[in-house]
Amino acid sequence: QKEVEQNSGPLSVPEGAIASLNCTYSDRGSQSFFWYRQYSGKSPELIMFIYSNGDKEDGRFTAQLNKASQYVSLLIRDSQPSDSATYLCAVNINPPGGGADGLTFGKGTHLIIQP
Amino acid sequence: GAVVSQHPSRVICKSGTSVKIECRSLDFQATTMFWYRQFPKQSLMLMATSNEGSKATYEQGVEKDKFLINHASLTLSTLTVTSAHPEDSSFYICSVGTDHTEAFFGQGTRLTVV
């Protein structure tokens, strides 16, 4: 059974600080990794994807992947109240270009940015 | 990516009735679409894979006779919840299958069965 584990939170972070979200996955064959943001009552929206070990930065967001430890994280710098949402980690056993049929989602971490 | 439109965004129905949810791919000819269900504070769970022109593939534990899927064109897949009961109340989300490994989601449908 493929599993993606996240701390459900809530994780409370002061405005302007760095929010750190973590995710572990069970299938060592996973090849593609994603972070989605989901506001209450809305569908998830893709924030970042990462395929290779190391860090990937996009604006205020940095995704980190460590395949040996089966661990992926998301850092949000200069956190804003609008970042308050549930963050879903998702992994796919397919490589880039391989399609979305192998996606497994975590339950999400509820992040609260305190003004 | 792909732009996906899902309708309705919210529906309330009486127990025992059927509800149809539409998922449209607006800018991509989708031979495959995915239907997910999300209960409160839970992860998205894949229910079924919709295949254009052929039968859908259902995940283990999902009743194919209860959740009818029709994918008659490359831009439209429908999910019909038949004889809905309160335990079917959930957030239903579709996504379009492309070569990309990430999902492109519709807006989701909040179903409440009373």
Side-chain angles (χ1 to χ4, degrees), chain B residues 30-99:
Chain B
T31 56
T32 303
M33 292 187 182
F34 303 101
W35 287 96
Y36 293 86
R37 179 169 55 182
Q38 186 181 34
F39 292 107
K41 300 189 185 300
Q42 299 297 311
S43 66
L44 275 74
M45 296 300 296
L46 181 66
M47 298 175 64
T49 300
S50 168
N51 303 298
E52 188 267 336
S54 64
K55 291 183 178 180
T57 304
Y58 291 82
E59 296 300 303
Q60 190 173 6
V62 177
E63 300 175 59
K64 63 180 181 180
D65 294 330
K66 181 170 183 62
F67 298 99
L68 301 180
I69 291 173
N70 184 282
H71 192 158
S73 79
L74 291 172
T75 59
L76 175 64
S77 175
T78 61
L79 169 68
T80 301
V81 183
T82 64
S83 186
H85 288 94
E87 57 265 31
D88 298 323
S89 298
S90 188
F91 192 48
Y92 292 86
I93 313 173
C94 69
S95 74
V96 168
T98 68
D99 290 343

Side-chain angles (χ1 to χ4, degrees), chain A residues 34-38 42-46 88 90 100 103 105, chain B residues 2-6 23-24 34-38 44-46 91-97 102-108:
Chain A
F34 308 92
W35 284 99
Y36 286 83
R37 177 174 61 198
Q38 186 175 26
K42 303 294 184 182
S43 67
E45 53 181 327
L46 181 67
L88 304 177
L103 272 173
F105 289 85
Chain B
V3 180
V4 184
S5 177
Q6 190 172 339
C23 180
R24 294 183 183 275
F34 303 101
W35 287 96
Y36 293 86
R37 179 169 55 182
Q38 186 181 34
L44 275 74
M45 296 300 296
L46 181 66
F91 192 48
Y92 292 86
I93 313 173
C94 69
S95 74
V96 168
E102 65 268 38
F104 299 99
F105 292 108
Q107 299 93 325

Side-chain angles (χ1 to χ4, degrees), chain A residues 8-26:
Chain A
S8 62
L11 173 64
S12 187
V13 173
E15 183 177 357
I18 296 175
S20 178
L21 304 164
N22 304 314
C23 170
T24 59
Y25 57 94
S26 64

